[in-house]
Amino acid sequence: MTTIKTHGATALPDYPEAGADDARPRILTQALERVDHTFRGVVTGSGTVVVMVMGLVAVFLTVRSVQALGTEGVGAFLTTQDWSPETGHFGIAAILTGTVLIALVALAIAFPLSVATALFITQLAGDRGSRLLTTVVDLMAAVPSVVYGIWGLSFLEPVVVPFARWLSTWFGWIPLFAVPNPDAANPLPNDALYTSSTFVAGLVVGLMIVPIMTSIMRESFARAPQGEREGAFALGATRWGMIRTVVLPFGRGGVIGGTMLGMGRALGETIAIYLIISPIFQFNFHILSRGTNSIAALIALRYGEASGVTLSALMAAGLALFVLTMIVNFSASAIIARSRSGADAEA
Amino acid sequence: MTGTLPLDTVAAAPATTTHLPRLALTEQTEEPQRVRVGASLDDRLSIAGATVGGIGMGILLAGALGVIGWGWMPIVSYAWFVGIYASLTFLGHSGPAVVDRFWSVLLRSAAVVVVASLGIVVVYTLLRGWPVLKDVFAFAPHKNPLHFWLTDMSGVGPLSGLDTGGILYAVIGTLEQIGIALVITVPLGVTSAIFLAIVGGRYARVVRTLVEAMTALPSVVAGLFIYAVIILSFTHQDNGFAAALAISVLMLPIMIRSADVALRLVPGNLREAGLALGASQWSTVWRVILPTMRSGLTTAIILATAHGIGETAPVLLTSGVTSVTNFDPFHNAQTSLPLAALEFIESGRNTLIARGYATAATLLAVVLILFVLARLIGGQEAGKVSAGRLRRLARTSRATLRRVRASGHARNLAAAAGRDPDAPLDPLSAFDQLITEDDA
């Protein structure tokens, strides 16, 4: 915490002397009464219940998926593209690829948007503007995913399809943007080929993860030290020069962490993807062409007919999604925590 | 020391009294912002000119020449705007300034895109739901303007007009499920947050890490978990209670996180003051920390509710789909608002889709109201109290004072000190005067 000392008219920032800045909260020692022991027991108990819920989800998914994984083996489960548990031939290779592809498209949309919005909120907007925009972004996070889903399905998709066709016409030589036409008799481009694609799903999911990414990045950009910022200005930097040399380097941890958190959300998104995609069970790296899949959408689509091995297979898919999101999320929080200075690591 | 001494005379008091030098310090005034980069007239005119130029070029290319489709017009106009603006800046400034203006424009555009996309989502939902929502403003003599929220879809076919049928069943489903979820999550969430923020320790840090991981739990996985644990193992039919449990799993981490953050904002000296007065940890929490953070905790609960109401995937797996009103959350399917919207939209029939958008608009309105409520309550600073609450606090204090006066102990103390036992207690005199004046 930098305080300002006033010497006459000149304000001199009081830079922390060696060690002067390591303020630590006082350690409170107190004699606990009997009621305190009960109190601490109760609140510790609730904490434990919450942990147990989380643990139960993990354990239950694992136990339930043993049956499916046992019939086929983990290796085959991870490398098979098909999904027909009834015949014992199923795996998440294609579905997982689809999930990750949708998340990557979402990140490609959300990353520049969130970095720029977070920079705008912290560096460009005035006091009122930044408060207003923060509220808007938080509100965006609270909009139910089903609303985004139906909006993406009936508003965004028709708007985006011509753009997708244009992209694949001019940049189709890049395999990612190619749209193979399966109908040799009709070589004319057909709009239906561009609907229900990874691209459209990723676009909607991208909008949905903007708020969480923006708020993490905003926090880390706001922490850029005032002294260094003013130093950059004093050396004649423009505002962008200051952002590039001070704010972005200081906020790098927040940018990476926020992006990974956003990726975790994108991987787990269900309803918007469920509404938009047309599920297929083979690799499709052409993001503009019809057909993709995601684990979450698969579960939402197939749980009803599930029993026995079918359900177990879904549980295994759920477990894979769970493990993936947890890995992404834990790395994100580790990066965010490390990017903060020790004093406010808890905030 | 006497409590009535004005603060500015403390420094001049005789050496025998205790000095409180910190109180005599003048308050540090907040410094005005030191760096101010504003836009010059030249800048503002360049922006206006570039905007006009960009739009003009877009209209020229799309409308007059027909080189590009109208769909491309905004994108092309924007590109031209950025180009023209950069060139204009280049006329009067050097390289770094041009780069600075260019990036400023891009950053601003991103903020505009974010706000606009939220706006488009909201407006589009309202527009598509308007055929149903307009009845609210119809003022037809024999029609209930709120019929859409007060009737259910039983006996309403896909071809029935929009003036029949409604989402009462989903409103009831949402209310009951969120109610059950709140009954579960509020005690559990608030006590867990107290554990994290106040009891602390190594175990609390582990719990906090897990709670943060739990916020990223995919909603469909939570639904699948409850589906397998509750429905397949016990109830063998979809029901609202299972849905409430699934929502609870997702609401808990949100509530704990924001309540934890709020509780850690309690000023340490309040806590220390409570403990220094000899209160137990429990009474410090109950009488100091929780009242101080009332607004923060309320905000945490409201925000978690807003998120819980919108959850669709877990509800899809657990609550089942119906279109008749079901008051019993423990038996048979009970649809909630997001699920009703999803089912309407998926049906593919125009009248049902309009109802779906109206349902989504209802959901949006509920979330928006909850959100504004959370902002209003959470906007208050920790420990700052409203006028009404201040009056209530004063009333409590008066009652306490009366009790203290009435107790023989205080009178004995005063008598032992050689004072009139019925005179106002000395250390409290200023405060006492204040509140007895208020009494009269």
Side-chain angles (χ1 to χ4, degrees):
Chain A
M1 193 66 61
T2 308
T3 55
I4 309 294
K5 264 187 212 156
T6 36
H7 292 283
T10 321
L12 289 179
D14 177 16
Y15 287 111
E17 309 292 328
D21 206 24
D22 310 337
R24 295 248 175 276
R26 269 181 292 262
I27 295 171
L28 301 179
T29 44
Q30 60 178 128
L32 295 178
E33 297 171 21
R34 191 186 296 149
V35 63
D36 287 346
H37 286 291
T38 319
F39 160 70
R40 293 170 77 100
V42 167
V43 295
T44 313
S46 334
T48 311
V49 168
V50 175
V51 171
M52 268 167 54
V53 170
M54 189 68 177
L56 265 181
V57 173
V59 169
F60 202 83
L61 286 178
T62 316
V63 169
R64 279 291 185 129
S65 51
V66 162
Q67 185 190 1
L69 293 177
T71 56
E72 215 198 21
V74 177
F77 180 70
L78 289 178
T79 52
T80 309
Q81 297 183 36
D82 271 348
W83 190 268
S84 61
E86 302 83 4
T87 60
H89 190 64
F90 60 94
I92 53 166
I95 312 165
L96 196 62
T97 316
T99 313
V100 173
L101 270 180
I102 292 177
L104 288 180
V105 172
L107 278 189
I109 306 293
F111 180 76
L113 264 185
S114 350
V115 173
T117 310
L119 281 178
F120 177 78
I121 292 177
T122 53
Q123 312 297 329
L124 263 71
D127 221 24
R128 272 180 51 195
S130 86
R131 243 191 326 226
L132 183 75
L133 210 57
T134 310
T135 311
V136 169
V137 169
D138 287 351
L139 186 59
M140 229 175 136
V143 171
S145 61
V146 65
V147 176
Y148 281 112
I150 59 181
W151 175 78
L153 181 69
S154 52
F155 177 83
L156 195 65
E157 191 170 86
V159 171
V160 160
V161 160
F163 175 73
R165 202 174 66 195
W166 176 84
L167 204 61
S168 84
T169 309
W170 294 97
F171 297 92
W173 48 274
I174 305 172
L176 198 62
F177 296 142
V179 175
N181 192 342
D183 185 6
N186 177 16
L188 289 173
N190 174 4
D191 268 357
L193 290 176
Y194 303 94
T195 56
S196 306
S197 62
T198 308
F199 179 64
V200 179
L203 215 55
V204 177
V205 175
L207 264 189
M208 299 172 67
I209 60 173
V210 161
I212 174 123
M213 289 172 65
T214 306
S215 61
I216 302 275
M217 292 179 190
R218 174 175 57 85
E219 269 176 37
S220 81
F221 290 154
R223 270 170 225 266
Q226 184 71 10
E228 272 81 344
R229 291 183 51 199
E230 287 173 7
F233 280 134
L235 288 172
T238 57
R239 187 152 46 185
W240 170 250
M242 185 277 291
I243 290 175
R244 199 171 54 81
T245 50
V246 177
V247 179
L248 287 179
F250 268 101
R252 193 192 295 145
V255 171
I256 298 172
T259 307
M260 294 187 73
L261 270 190
M263 173 137 191
R265 293 295 153 89
L267 292 172
E269 179 44 45
T270 314
I271 287 298
I273 299 179
Y274 161 89
L275 275 169
I276 288 168
I277 63 166
S278 85
I280 57 169
F281 294 95
Q282 60 200 40
F283 288 128
N284 180 4
F285 291 104
H286 309 299
I287 58 168
L288 297 177
S289 77
R290 187 180 175 81
T292 178
N293 218 327
S294 100
I295 293 180
L298 173 83
I299 294 173
L301 215 57
R302 295 290 183 91
Y303 79 97
E305 60 203 58
S307 60
V309 181
T310 327
L311 181 68
S312 180
L314 280 185
M315 288 284 178
L319 180 67
L321 178 64
F322 180 75
V323 171
L324 191 63
T325 44
M326 285 305 133
I327 291 174
V328 170
N329 195 63
F330 274 121
S331 348
S333 19
I335 292 173
I336 295 175
R338 214 177 42 191
S339 75
R340 293 173 183 165
S341 71
D344 50 10
E346 293 223 313
Chain B
M1 187 203 126
T2 53
T4 48
L5 209 55
L7 294 183
D8 52 349
T9 61
V10 168
T16 48
T17 56
T18 314
H19 282 260
L20 290 176
R22 289 171 61 87
L23 292 178
L25 282 179
T26 51
E27 199 146 303
Q28 281 192 344
T29 48
E30 205 174 313
E31 240 195 320
Q33 199 187 353
R34 275 169 286 175
V35 180
R36 234 170 237 292
V37 185
S40 63
L41 180 66
D42 180 47
D43 247 7
R44 275 175 283 172
L45 288 182
S46 309
I47 288 187
T51 312
V52 173
I55 293 174
M57 190 53 96
I59 292 175
L60 179 72
L61 288 178
L65 299 179
V67 184
I68 51 169
W70 277 107
W72 285 100
M73 188 264 192
I75 301 172
V76 171
S77 295
Y78 180 70
W80 274 97
F81 160 70
V82 175
I84 295 172
Y85 181 55
S87 320
L88 281 178
T89 319
F90 188 68
L91 291 179
H93 301 272
S94 56
V98 179
V99 176
D100 174 57
R101 301 295 197 284
F102 173 75
W103 281 107
S104 301
V105 165
L106 287 199
L107 297 189
R108 275 168 213 279
S109 320
V112 170
V113 168
V114 168
V115 175
S117 55
L118 178 66
I120 292 175
V121 170
V122 173
V123 170
Y124 183 77
T125 309
L126 289 178
L127 278 185
R128 292 291 303 266
W130 184 246
V132 177
L133 299 175
K134 73 175 192 298
D135 281 359
V136 177
F137 307 100
F139 303 115
H142 299 295
K143 219 156 79 177
N144 185 345
L146 299 177
H147 70 87
F148 183 63
W149 294 274
L150 297 176
T151 50
D152 64 17
M153 289 297 285
S154 53
V156 180
L159 296 177
S160 307
L162 287 178
D163 51 350
T164 59
I167 51 169
L168 177 69
Y169 64 102
V171 172
I172 288 171
T174 286
L175 284 181
E176 288 193 358
Q177 287 166 20
I178 274 293
I180 296 173
L182 281 176
V183 165
I184 296 170
T185 51
V186 168
L188 204 54
V190 172
T191 43
S192 303
I194 290 176
F195 171 61
L196 296 186
I198 289 157
V199 174
R202 193 177 300 153
Y203 179 52
R205 275 200 294 279
V206 175
V207 175
R208 181 174 291 142
T209 314
L210 280 174
V211 166
E212 281 191 5
M214 205 169 158
T215 53
L217 183 71
S219 58
V220 74
V221 170
L224 190 64
F225 167 68
I226 295 292
Y227 176 71
V229 170
I230 304 289
I231 295 181
L232 292 185
S233 312
F234 294 108
T235 62
H236 303 291
Q237 61 174 356
D238 294 340
N239 60 63
F241 182 67
L245 287 180
I247 298 174
S248 306
V249 172
L250 295 163
M251 277 169 68
L252 255 183
I254 300 176
M255 191 182 294
I256 295 175
R257 263 191 76 166
S258 39
D260 177 29
V261 171
L263 284 173
R264 273 187 287 161
L265 288 179
V266 175
N269 51 11
L270 278 184
R271 245 174 102 178
E272 288 167 18
L275 294 176
L277 285 170
S280 62
Q281 190 175 33
W282 158 245
S283 2
T284 314
V285 168
W286 183 245
R287 298 196 182 276
V288 177
I289 293 174
L290 289 184
T292 313
M293 282 330 286
R294 183 178 300 189
S295 65
L297 292 177
T298 319
T299 308
I301 292 169
I302 294 177
L303 282 185
T305 313
H307 281 271
I309 279 184
E311 288 293 355
T312 321
V315 178
L316 174 70
L317 265 65
T318 47
S319 81
V321 177
T322 177
S323 58
V324 294
T325 309
N326 174 15
F327 282 100
D328 181 2
F330 296 98
H331 300 96
N332 297 323
Q334 191 189 42
T335 304
S336 59
L337 282 173
L339 191 54
L342 184 71
E343 293 297 324
F344 278 135
I345 301 290
E346 279 194 311
S347 70
R349 288 189 176 273
N350 278 338
T351 52
L352 294 183
I353 287 181
R355 289 195 182 100
Y357 277 99
T359 313
T362 311
L363 199 56
L364 267 181
V366 171
V367 169
L368 186 71
I369 291 171
L370 285 175
F371 199 80
V372 170
L373 216 61
R375 277 286 136 142
L376 285 184
I377 297 173
Q380 294 170 357
E381 256 176 75
K384 219 174 197 173
V385 287
S386 63
R389 187 152 160 64
L390 200 62
R391 271 196 298 277
R392 279 200 299 282
L393 281 176
R395 212 178 302 140
T396 323
S397 299
R398 278 196 295 276
T400 313
L401 189 70
R402 258 178 240 122
R403 213 178 63 225
V404 171
R405 273 219 209 100
S407 79
H409 187 59
R411 296 167 66 90
N412 291 345
L413 275 183
R419 276 183 279 124
D420 174 15
D422 289 323
L425 292 173
D426 199 38
L428 287 171
S429 56
F431 182 62
D432 193 35
Q433 224 166 14
L434 189 81
I435 59 175
T436 39
E437 269 168 19
D438 203 29
D439 245 346

